[in-house]
């Protein structure tokens, strides 16, 4: 039903808006497979950098593991649908993505929040999804394979956002790979046009339409934050903050040198020589209490 609606509505919209729909759709159809190859090759500079530095930093593994699974699923779907333009670029992309994943895993921690999860979870998930797709293909269940393609495509196109929390807290988009995000945006736009006006296939339209939006979000974050160094904000608890300011106040209060000194929790503090020991003790306690009370008011403890 959705495919019929897409087929009936697509041509009038293109005709009215662009005047020569067939030429533009044909152009998108020719560019889309090439865009898929560009998408699969986009992570190559990032992988070369990882190999050179032997460190993955805060980069996630999800873009590469999901790319390998996506390439396998779309290859299977293209074969079942007899669509050469679908299976041929994805078969090549699957092999490239497997290479990326292996190289990434060489220098990645066994588990990290930015991966996300662990290396074993990515491997096991890929095996389970691949096995399920093979069983569905053996049963000629094209719709099930298509449904799986939609799900894994969304994971692939949104995978750079796995480090979204890191981007927002550090004010740095270094964890979002620009080549992959840019290639994703262009690739998804072209396949959305092809799926909507040529193939009339919702399994192509839905993931690529959403992928285009996610790609734009990634590019916007990259533009806003760039690759500036991450801003690390130290976390200081209320007791630690109180002790820090307490010590600063004491240093300011007794910022002079005298022969006498007072032994306290913070060590020896110089005090006026003309004061008696009792007066010095009382003065220190009084100043400490007054300043501590003022600080507690400022931080809302009292």
């Amino acid at each position: 039903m959705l495919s019929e609606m897409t087929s009936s509505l697509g041509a009038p919209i293109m005709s009215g808006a662009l005047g020569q729909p067939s030429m533009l759709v044909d152009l998108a159809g020719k560019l889309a497979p090439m865009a898929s190859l560009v998408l699969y090759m986009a992570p190559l500079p990032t992988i070369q950098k990882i190999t050179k530095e032997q460190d993955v930093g805060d980069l996630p593994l999800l873009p590469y593991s999901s790319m390998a699974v996506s390439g396998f699923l779309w290859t299977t779907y293209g074969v079942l649908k007899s669509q050469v333009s679908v299976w041929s670029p994805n078969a090549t992309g699957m092999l490239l993505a497997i290479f990326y994943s292996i190289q990434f895993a060489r220098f990645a921690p066994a588990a990290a929040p930015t991966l996300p999860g662990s290396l074993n979870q990515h491997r096991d998930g890929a095996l389970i999804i691949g096995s399920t797709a093979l069983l569905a293909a053996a049963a000629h269940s094209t719709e099930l394979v298509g449904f799986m393609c939609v799900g894994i495509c969304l994971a692939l196109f949104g995978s750079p956002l796995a480090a979204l929390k890191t981007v927002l807290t550090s004010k740095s988009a270094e964890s979002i790979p620009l080549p992959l995000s840019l290639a994703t945006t262009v690739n998804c736009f072209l396949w959305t046009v092809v799926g909507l006006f040529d193939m009339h296939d919702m399994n192509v339209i839905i993931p690529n339409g959403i992928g285009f939006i996610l790609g734009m979000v990634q590019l916007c974050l990259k533009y806003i934050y760039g690759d500036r160094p991450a801003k690390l904000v130290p976390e200081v608890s209320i007791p630690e903050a109180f002790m820090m300011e307490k010590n600063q106040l004491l240093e300011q209060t007794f910022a002079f040198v005298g022969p006498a000194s007072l032994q306290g929790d913070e060590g020896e503090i110089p005090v006026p020589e003309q004061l008696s020991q009792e007066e010095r003790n009382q003065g220190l306690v009084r100043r400490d209490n007054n300043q501590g009370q003022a600080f507690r008011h400022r931080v809302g403890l009292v």
Side-chain angles (χ1 to χ4, degrees):
M1 180 61 71
L2 289 174
S3 298
E4 294 175 358
M5 291 174 61
T6 305
S7 178
S8 62
L9 294 176
I13 292 175
M14 289 292 290
S15 299
L18 301 175
Q20 294 180 327
S22 59
M23 183 177 68
L24 295 175
V25 172
D26 288 344
L27 179 61
K30 293 177 181 179
L31 292 177
M34 290 187 288
S36 292
L37 288 176
V38 173
L39 171 63
Y40 284 121
M41 295 179 67
L44 191 56
T46 303
I47 296 299
Q48 289 176 334
K49 181 181 178 182
I50 290 174
T51 304
K52 180 180 179 180
E53 298 179 355
Q54 298 188 358
D55 181 29
V56 300
D58 290 330
L59 292 175
L61 172 61
L62 188 59
Y64 313 112
S65 60
S66 61
M67 181 181 286
V69 176
S70 176
F72 176 77
L73 291 177
W74 281 110
T75 299
T76 305
Y77 186 76
V79 170
L80 292 175
K81 297 280 287 188
S82 300
Q83 290 280 352
V84 179
S85 61
V86 174
W87 68 258
S88 57
N90 283 287
T92 304
M94 175 187 65
L95 297 177
L96 286 172
I98 291 175
F99 167 74
Y100 299 152
S101 299
I102 293 174
Q103 287 297 102
F104 189 99
R106 287 178 58 196
F107 308 108
T114 53
L115 289 180
S118 66
L119 296 178
N120 290 337
Q121 288 174 340
H122 283 258
R123 180 200 61 200
D124 296 342
L127 291 175
I128 292 172
I129 295 173
S131 300
T132 304
L134 285 177
L135 292 175
H140 300 285
S141 180
T142 306
E143 288 303 318
L144 177 57
V145 176
F147 178 77
M148 295 174 67
C149 287
V150 172
I152 200 64
C153 242
L154 295 180
L156 169 61
F157 296 146
S159 55
L161 294 177
L164 180 60
K165 181 180 179 181
T166 303
V167 172
L168 296 178
T169 54
S170 65
K171 306 298 182 184
S172 172
E174 188 177 5
S175 58
I176 297 180
L178 179 60
L180 179 60
S181 297
L182 184 60
T184 295
T185 305
V186 175
N187 176 75
C188 288
F189 172 76
L190 292 173
W191 278 108
T192 301
V193 173
V194 173
L196 185 60
F197 301 109
D198 183 22
M199 297 176 64
H200 313 298
D201 190 338
M202 296 304 295
N203 290 327
V204 176
I205 298 170
I206 293 176
N208 285 285
I210 297 176
F212 173 72
I213 296 173
L214 294 175
M216 291 299 297
V217 171
Q218 294 165 30
L219 292 178
C220 288
L221 290 173
K222 198 70 172 178
Y223 175 77
I224 293 172
Y225 295 115
D227 291 338
R228 68 191 68 168
K231 295 182 178 179
L232 300 179
V233 180
E235 296 182 0
V236 180
S237 63
I238 292 297
E240 290 174 336
F242 172 71
M243 291 303 301
M244 289 169 60
E245 181 151 333
K246 172 185 173 182
N247 292 336
Q248 292 174 357
L249 291 172
L250 288 172
E251 290 175 2
Q252 294 173 2
T253 303
F254 300 104
F256 49 81
V257 178
S261 64
L262 177 66
Q263 183 71 30
D265 294 336
E266 290 75 28
E268 288 193 351
I269 305 173
V271 296
E273 183 180 9
Q274 65 270 22
L275 296 179
S276 66
Q277 183 65 40
E278 182 178 357
E279 289 173 333
R280 284 180 288 181
N281 288 341
Q282 291 176 354
L284 177 59
V285 171
R286 186 165 54 252
R287 289 188 183 92
D288 192 11
N289 287 340
N290 290 341
Q291 297 292 356
Q293 186 74 7
F295 176 75
R296 289 189 182 90
H297 275 290
R298 287 200 297 275
V299 299
L301 294 178
V302 293

